[in-house]
Amino acid sequence: MTSTRTIMHLDMDAFFAAIEQQDHPQWLGKPVVVGADPKGGKGRGVVSTCSYEARAYGIRSAMPISKAYRLCPTAVYVLPRGHRYAEVSRQIMSLLREFSPDIEQISIDEAFVDITSTQKLFGGAEKMAKEIKSKIYEKTKLTASIGIAPNKFVAKIASDLRKPDGLVIVSAEEMPSFLAPLEISRLWGVGLKTVPQLQAMGIYTIGDLARYSQQQLIERLGSIGAHFWRLANGIDDRPVAETDMVKSISRETTFPEDVEDAAQLRDCLLYLCDDLSYEMRRKRLKGRTITLKIRLEDFSTFTRSQSLGHTTDICEEMFRCVEKMFNNFDRGGKRVRLLGVAMSQLQGSEVQLELFAEEDEKRTKLDRVMDQVRQKFGSDAIQRAGLLHKKHDSDWIRER
Ligand code: TTP
Ligand code: MG
């Protein structure tokens, strides 16, 4: 058994919408929807988030913007301003660092903080949480919801329970009775497919699940059964660690035969950037540093990195930088065995696939069109013009 920890989970309330309301005080108290342009109900794209006033009309994140418009045509509709939200996010995260060095940011408005050792300095967990909330409010005029529990899983549920402006503290002793009445959909990993499967076993709440033995659950559900059993019994030893967050994301290719031709190598790099940027947009990540990896025929391996000065998930921008590093690399006449492209210094990107900020509109148009085609037809359906003359792309072995 590990000794008891105290883990805090903080999640800002209606984050993008609350910032818009603060920046436009005339919108305070009104339904505000951040997302795609509704175009009088004909708009495509989705809701990013909305104020609690808009939630009263049934509007939710990820809902088609046309549906939101039907539910409340008089709401204030605004396009997302990613840079502004990222700026406020940085303010909040640096404020949290004044309270504990053990912070794991998991999205733009959300972080875990291990306060096991620092809570005493602030007179206990509750006082510390209240101070964090008021410091955030002082600085940004925004409200946060906080959950505190012996582990990440329960802390995250707790922060969600009394939103907005909530504070829920669950002690180790309270954990079983806290978890028991909650719906099983709250368990990490229980998706739309698993719910009916569990219900067929008479499991509707976390308490129902906790009454099964671990062995029974493994027999019925496979190895995921053990995971559900552990969570349902309040067992979650995952540490709060920045390393938990994806540090980098990459694509690389080993050629079936070593390649000499620079044009073919450049095409391959474009292909890798394209694939990588698509994955980043899908995962809502942007990166600041790009790395090129080259392995030559004699297995000597080199990397070249460059910071872009800002974060991006745009293929064109990534490729331009990689191409430059590639052109400057002297391979001494040797052929290339492997090429790779990686992005690091990642941040959660603020907008969904179909919701690029206005200033990025032009640059990302091609990316967006390709994303839509891929989503429709699968990832091999489309390739960039630079690749179109290639017949043998599929010969490249993709290593993930
Ligand atoms: P959330 O914390 O999930 O939502 P929220 O902060 O708007 O509201 P809540 O009070 O329920 O926490 O997400 C944080 C931000 O991420 C949100 O303000 C907008 C963005 N986001 C999207 O762009 N699309 C989505 O589908 C979701 C869920 C969030
Ligand atoms: Mg939030």
Side-chain angles (χ1 to χ4, degrees):
M1 269 303 280
T2 47
S3 56
T4 306
R5 298 178 296 156
T6 311
I7 309 296
M8 173 185 289
H9 179 259
L10 177 140
D11 188 315
M12 300 300 297
D13 302 322
F15 191 50
F16 296 1
I19 295 174
E20 292 301 342
Q21 287 180 315
Q22 282 309 321
D23 289 355
H24 307 87
Q26 68 275 25
W27 297 344
L28 285 165
K30 293 200 173 140
V32 173
V33 180
V34 181
D37 183 349
K39 296 189 176 149
K42 295 195 188 70
R44 293 153 56 84
V46 297
V47 173
S48 180
T49 192
C50 60
S51 65
Y52 278 77
E53 294 84 351
R55 293 182 198 195
Y57 290 85
I59 301 175
R60 295 287 180 274
S61 285
M63 174 183 280
I65 199 78
S66 53
K67 183 169 178 196
Y69 193 82
R70 275 201 305 280
L71 291 170
C72 184
T74 55
V76 179
Y77 287 87
V78 282
L79 294 174
R81 293 181 300 140
H83 296 297
R84 174 76 182 124
Y85 312 146
E87 183 187 2
V88 180
S89 172
R90 279 194 296 275
Q91 284 179 348
I92 290 159
M93 296 303 154
S94 74
L95 216 146
L96 280 181
R97 272 171 227 290
E98 293 173 18
F99 288 83
S100 168
D102 296 327
I103 294 176
E104 182 184 340
Q105 183 178 353
I106 54 169
S107 82
I108 190 160
D109 79 329
E110 214 182 330
F112 285 109
V113 190
D114 188 329
I115 59 167
T116 312
S117 50
T118 48
Q119 56 183 322
K120 284 180 228 82
L121 303 172
F122 299 90
E126 184 172 351
K127 276 201 176 135
M128 184 174 181
K130 284 182 174 158
E131 195 172 329
I132 290 177
K133 279 158 65 93
S134 67
K135 278 263 166 67
I136 290 177
Y137 188 78
E138 260 168 46
K139 183 132 198 167
T140 63
K141 293 283 174 291
L142 301 173
T143 60
S145 291
I146 288 181
I148 294 174
N151 62 49
K152 282 174 149 180
F153 167 62
V154 180
K156 174 135 168 123
I157 292 181
S159 76
D160 193 47
L161 228 51
R162 303 236 202 293
K163 263 183 170 295
D165 203 12
L167 171 56
V168 174
I169 301 174
V170 185
S171 68
E173 298 72 46
E174 289 163 341
M175 242 186 335
S177 58
F178 173 81
L179 288 173
L182 301 174
E183 287 180 17
I184 35 163
S185 56
R186 293 228 180 226
L187 286 178
W188 290 350
V190 172
L192 289 177
K193 280 196 201 132
T194 324
V195 170
Q197 207 181 342
L198 292 173
Q199 287 179 345
M201 294 165 67
I203 299 175
Y204 292 86
T205 64
I206 294 183
D208 294 338
L209 198 143
R211 277 191 287 278
Y212 271 78
S213 76
Q214 192 169 14
Q215 196 51 42
Q216 282 172 315
L217 289 170
I218 294 172
E219 276 161 20
R220 304 285 284 264
L221 304 165
S223 58
I224 190 95
H227 161 78
F228 292 157
W229 183 88
R230 287 172 62 80
L231 290 183
N233 284 282
I235 304 169
D236 171 22
D237 296 333
R238 284 166 311 156
V240 170
E242 293 213 42
T243 47
D244 264 12
M245 204 169 153
V246 221
K247 274 200 162 155
S248 72
I249 177 166
S250 63
R251 285 287 181 276
E252 60 182 53
T253 286
T254 303
F255 298 105
E257 277 167 40
D258 298 343
V259 177
E260 162 81 66
D261 180 34
Q264 195 186 338
L265 291 168
R266 255 191 298 273
D267 275 351
C268 173
L269 288 173
L270 178 56
Y271 179 85
L272 291 171
C273 287
D274 178 39
D275 203 27
L276 184 59
S277 71
Y278 172 64
E279 180 72 3
M280 292 172 70
R281 291 193 295 281
R282 212 174 56 77
K283 291 194 167 148
R284 292 209 269 148
L285 291 168
K286 289 187 180 190
R288 188 180 297 272
T289 297
I290 189 154
T291 301
L292 165 69
K293 177 173 165 186
I294 303 181
R295 180 167 295 148
L296 300 178
E297 54 187 297
D298 58 4
F299 278 85
S300 56
T301 306
F302 304 86
T303 57
R304 295 287 180 272
S305 293
Q306 189 168 340
S307 169
L308 295 160
H310 60 275
T311 59
T312 191
D313 58 7
I314 300 170
C315 174
E316 259 66 28
E317 223 176 302
M318 289 159 52
F319 176 64
R320 250 183 280 128
C321 193
V322 166
E323 189 185 29
K324 211 182 280 168
M325 292 190 282
F326 175 76
N327 290 341
N328 290 336
F329 178 77
D330 179 9
R331 52 189 160 112
K334 294 203 181 90
R335 286 173 301 165
V336 175
R337 178 182 169 80
L338 170 152
L339 283 178
V341 177
M343 284 291 267
S344 53
Q345 285 194 285
L346 299 176
Q347 262 177 22
S349 94
E350 313 75 20
V351 286
Q352 274 158 318
L353 225 49
E354 52 275 70
L355 278 179
F356 294 102
E358 214 168 6
E359 67 261 37
D360 285 345
E361 186 78 19
K362 277 207 187 75
R363 287 186 305 167
T364 58
K365 210 166 173 188
L366 179 58
D367 287 337
R368 200 172 37 177
V369 169
M370 293 194 44
D371 289 345
Q372 284 168 356
V373 176
R374 273 205 206 79
Q375 282 180 334
K376 253 194 188 144
F377 303 110
S379 69
D380 291 331
I382 191 166
Q383 289 174 339
R384 297 205 178 241
L387 290 169
L388 291 182
H389 63 278
K390 278 273 157 304
K391 286 266 184 317
H392 48 265
D393 304 319
S394 52
D395 295 342
W396 289 336
I397 303 157
R398 268 197 274 171
E399 295 169 358
R400 302 209 160 185

